[in-house]
Amino acid sequence: MQHQAASMKRNLFNQDYLDEQFNELEELQDDDNPNFVEEVVNLFFTDSIRLIRNVDLALANEPYDFGRLDDLMHQFKGSSSSIGAKRVKRECSQFQEYCNERNIDGCKRAFQGVKQEYATLKTKLDAYFQAAREAS
């Protein structure tokens, strides 16, 4: 089981879902707080639901407030960075570029990418943490 968790983690890095920040989080985990990384990631997922909902609302209301959209995506990108969510962070950056260009169609397309990468990462990390729990 431990081998399976290690293999899943390697794949998350090899497929660019995660970056070095995830390893740095794991270095902070110890015997006193053995679930630290999973707890931090779950906080990210919880906060992301709120941010996604707020972006959805902002995209549904004209006139579009590109400043607000950029601020929301900046928060999402920062949260993604804090756990090492590389692909999500990249999609957030693309969204922000479209915001700067005031390109609402680009924002909407990029936001679909953000949501897709977020959902994929959540599924993969949930499976990884499940395998890691079973291995310990």
Side-chain angles (χ1 to χ4, degrees):
M1 241 351 147
Q2 198 166 14
H3 174 71
Q4 181 184 7
S7 175
M8 292 171 86
K9 181 180 167 186
R10 252 190 327 278
N11 285 337
L12 286 165
F13 278 90
N14 291 342
Q15 296 169 0
D16 275 345
Y17 284 102
L18 296 176
D19 64 24
E20 188 56 36
Q21 181 62 32
F22 189 82
N23 284 334
E24 291 178 25
L25 273 179
E26 286 192 321
E27 289 175 17
L28 298 173
Q29 188 164 287
D30 58 23
D31 291 339
D32 292 335
N33 198 352
N35 300 318
F36 176 75
V37 176
E38 186 173 4
E39 290 168 6
V40 169
V41 168
N42 283 331
L43 287 172
F44 163 74
F45 289 142
T46 300
D47 192 47
S48 296
I49 292 167
R50 177 187 60 80
L51 289 168
I52 288 170
R53 185 177 55 244
N54 288 340
V55 173
D56 269 328
L57 289 171
L59 287 173
N61 294 311
E62 293 185 41
Y64 300 110
D65 184 344
F66 288 98
R68 172 143 172 74
L69 286 165
D70 186 63
D71 287 347
L72 289 167
M73 200 52 62
H74 181 76
Q75 290 176 39
F76 202 177
K77 186 167 86 172
S79 295
S80 300
S81 254
S82 72
I83 67 155
K86 189 174 182 178
R87 284 186 177 196
V88 175
K89 183 174 68 173
R90 185 172 46 226
E91 291 295 328
C92 290
S93 293
Q94 183 66 56
F95 182 99
Q96 286 186 288
E97 286 177 30
Y98 285 125
C99 272
N100 290 335
E101 297 169 4
R102 303 183 72 74
N103 178 343
I104 197 62
D105 292 329
C107 286
K108 289 178 178 180
R109 275 193 315 277
F111 188 51
Q112 293 308 310
V114 168
K115 291 193 289 187
Q116 181 178 341
E117 290 299 344
Y118 165 81
T120 301
L121 180 66
K122 183 172 184 345
T123 299
K124 289 179 176 289
L125 282 177
D126 285 346
Y128 165 70
F129 287 127
Q130 178 69 32
R133 277 193 305 276
E134 291 172 4
S136 56

